[in-house]
Amino acid sequence: MFALMSLLVVGSVAFDSVKTPFGQAKEVLGGSATYFSVAASFFTKVSLVAVVGEDFPEKDIQFLKSRKIDTAGLERAKGETFRWKGEYGFQLNEAKTLDTRLNVFQNFWPKLPEAYKKLDIVFLGNIDPDLQREVLQQVTKPKLVALDTMNFWISGKKDSLIKTLGLVDILIINDGEARQLSGEHNLVQAAQKIQSMGPKILIIKRGEYGALLFSRKSVFHAPAYPLEKVFDPTGAGDSFAGGFMGYLAKTRKFDDANFRKAIIMGSVLASFNVEDFSLNRFKRLKNSEITARFKAFKNLTHFENL
Ligand code: AMP
């Protein structure tokens, strides 16, 4: 029974080297699946599918386990862990990728542990779209499938990505990626074009301007929390997705009203993550802080009728 409550994720587990206007971090724990899993772990059990190299320290695996993340699907392969190097300018909205080394991901072909195949809520985190499809095909009866991707795959593997898009319910991307994927500048038109590729629900993240949720019936706008200090935006997107999907996995209600709450939960988790480098803020985050910030989000846009 507990296994069914878990949330399945595939994505990168990485060492990141990041430079922001406020400092830098070298070879710190990162990766799309890592940020996602830890954010989601505040709401649900998570089953992780990814690969690391011989250089990945045991203490990081122990950290994931301490967050109730199942690492049975985290393979250790010969070679080096995935590495990403990025830089943020004063605008902080979009990372400039300086280097991407797929390393062990180049020869990774995920094989799901038996218990994972029964999971029905799936997040295909930012990784090669071929691998995203490979994971999904091994899931017996997926009920809700969400996908994240980035410019690296939109320009490098567009055909494969479009194939994967045809299999998912929700796509979570940023505004630049939505424009790149659809070829449309206007986000409403971009959303219509992307929804026609498969996903019924589209979430467009707009950094410090919040996020838009397009369903078949309506559009909802979630603000971003006006933080006094943003330290490092790395992982904001994955933490957002982790909060969003974690909340949906916990509540298991897949309607517009609950999607709206989930998108706020995603924004809450992203807002904490950017307050420190790597996963450091999550390491000291308390449930009571999450609840308090959720309320603060409500107050941010609440006003009385005329
Ligand atoms: P975001 O949440 O969008 O800021 O994603 C940040 C994470 O994405 C970093 O921790 C990177 O390790 C990871 N990442 C960057 N490029 C790629 C890529 N091409 N494939 C998979 N993961 C990536």
Side-chain angles (χ1 to χ4, degrees):
M1 180 63 199
F2 196 39
L4 265 184
M5 302 292 290
S6 186
L7 167 59
L8 174 62
V9 55
V10 60
S12 57
V13 172
F15 288 129
D16 291 343
S17 296
V18 182
K19 214 170 167 185
T20 79
F22 317 109
Q24 53 182 325
K26 272 206 178 110
E27 303 260 309
V28 291
L29 178 63
S32 57
T34 318
Y35 281 108
F36 178 90
S37 302
V38 177
S41 74
F42 286 92
F43 306 97
T44 182
K45 198 170 170 277
V46 179
S47 300
L48 171 65
V49 178
V51 63
V52 292
E54 293 153 308
D55 52 356
F56 197 75
E58 188 54 34
K59 74 165 174 31
D60 288 338
I61 293 183
Q62 287 310 322
F63 164 60
L64 297 174
K65 284 186 175 162
S66 77
R67 294 284 336 156
K68 289 195 264 83
I69 295 162
D70 187 346
T71 56
L74 179 64
E75 193 182 310
R76 191 185 280 277
K78 237 183 160 163
E80 284 190 307
T81 299
F82 177 93
R83 275 167 171 76
W84 177 74
K85 211 181 248 185
E87 192 175 45
Y88 296 85
F90 199 65
Q91 278 290 333
L92 282 178
N93 248 359
E94 207 155 337
K96 188 171 146 212
T97 294
L98 301 175
D99 196 18
T100 302
R101 295 194 184 190
L102 295 176
N103 295 336
V104 286
F105 267 104
Q106 243 153 347
N107 299 312
F108 178 55
W109 210 239
K111 209 175 166 314
L112 263 53
E114 273 316 303
Y116 282 31
K117 294 183 182 171
K118 295 190 207 89
L119 302 178
D120 58 355
I121 305 186
V122 183
F123 182 68
L124 306 172
N126 178 23
I127 197 67
D128 188 326
D130 288 343
L131 295 184
Q132 293 177 319
R133 250 187 351 268
E134 185 62 27
V135 165
L136 190 55
Q137 276 154 8
Q138 294 176 53
V139 179
T140 333
K141 254 197 205 161
K143 196 163 180 185
L144 186 77
V145 183
L147 178 134
D148 183 16
T149 192
M150 73 181 290
N151 48 15
F152 187 84
W153 305 111
I154 299 173
S155 44
K157 281 216 163 175
K158 193 163 181 183
D159 290 347
S160 170
L161 177 62
I162 287 178
K163 251 191 189 172
T164 313
L165 274 178
L167 306 172
V168 310
D169 305 296
I170 305 176
L171 173 65
I172 307 176
I173 49 176
N174 70 33
D175 44 3
E177 291 154 0
R179 290 188 171 111
Q180 190 188 356
L181 180 62
S182 64
E184 297 287 345
H185 179 82
N186 179 287
L187 288 182
V188 179
Q189 286 177 26
Q192 284 164 0
K193 225 172 174 175
I194 293 170
Q195 282 175 307
S196 75
M197 297 175 184
K200 298 181 286 289
I201 307 283
L202 173 67
I203 296 174
I204 301 184
K205 298 168 288 180
R206 307 188 62 217
E208 63 183 311
Y209 306 112
L212 288 163
L213 168 76
F214 293 89
S215 74
R216 291 269 189 244
K217 291 185 219 144
S218 66
V219 184
F220 176 65
H221 174 251
Y225 191 71
L227 287 168
E228 204 177 314
K229 270 196 195 131
V230 177
F231 208 69
D232 172 19
T234 311
D238 303 305
S239 306
F240 173 93
F244 176 78
M245 292 297 284
Y247 184 77
L248 289 177
K250 180 182 170 185
T251 51
R252 294 189 70 90
K253 268 203 284 182
F254 310 135
D255 55 28
D256 274 17
N258 210 41
F259 284 143
R260 289 182 180 206
K261 280 198 236 173
I263 198 176
I264 298 295
M265 216 37 118
S267 310
V268 167
L269 271 288
S271 75
F272 281 116
N273 176 63
V274 301
E275 290 179 353
D276 204 339
F277 275 120
S278 185
L279 290 112
N280 295 340
R281 185 63 180 94
F282 284 162
K283 287 186 179 171
R284 53 176 199 275
L285 182 62
K286 298 193 191 83
N287 285 321
S288 55
E289 292 176 293
I290 294 178
T291 313
R293 193 161 288 176
F294 188 90
K295 280 190 193 140
F297 261 91
K298 185 141 185 19
N299 288 337
L300 199 59
T301 50
H302 181 82
F303 48 86
E304 302 296 334
N305 278 329
L306 281 178

